[in-house]
Amino acid sequence: MDSDDDIARANRAKRGSPFLNTDQAAAYLKMSSRLLKRLRRDGKGPVFRRHSRYIQYHIDDLDAWSDEHSARELGR
């Protein structure tokens, strides 16, 4: 979350509901929803919550997961 646009978008989301569905969470992380679903299935994705039959991601959990997976260099 480096650009001003990302920060503004996050602030708007936090003012509304802090929960995002899979498509919204994937867009927030700038990845495909297919990849996010695969990561969730494999237990490697961000923390999610199941509200009834709906999968929801909290913005703070997305930010924490992203921070955990930041890297200074590419792995070999």
Side-chain angles (χ1 to χ4, degrees), residues 6-39:
D6 289 339
I7 293 169
R9 186 176 65 197
N11 286 332
R12 282 195 305 274
K14 285 182 181 180
R15 276 195 301 269
S17 172
F19 292 99
L20 304 176
N21 65 32
T22 301
D23 291 335
Q24 293 167 329
Y28 184 78
L29 293 171
K30 295 183 171 81
M31 65 172 59
S32 72
S33 58
R34 176 180 253 171
L35 175 58
L36 184 56
K37 288 175 187 176
R38 189 176 324 132
L39 290 170

Side-chain angles (χ1 to χ4, degrees), residues 22 36-45 48 55 57:
T22 301
L36 184 56
K37 288 175 187 176
R38 189 176 324 132
L39 290 170
R40 181 175 68 223
R41 181 195 68 208
D42 296 342
K44 297 179 181 178
F48 66 93
I55 300 294
Y57 293 89

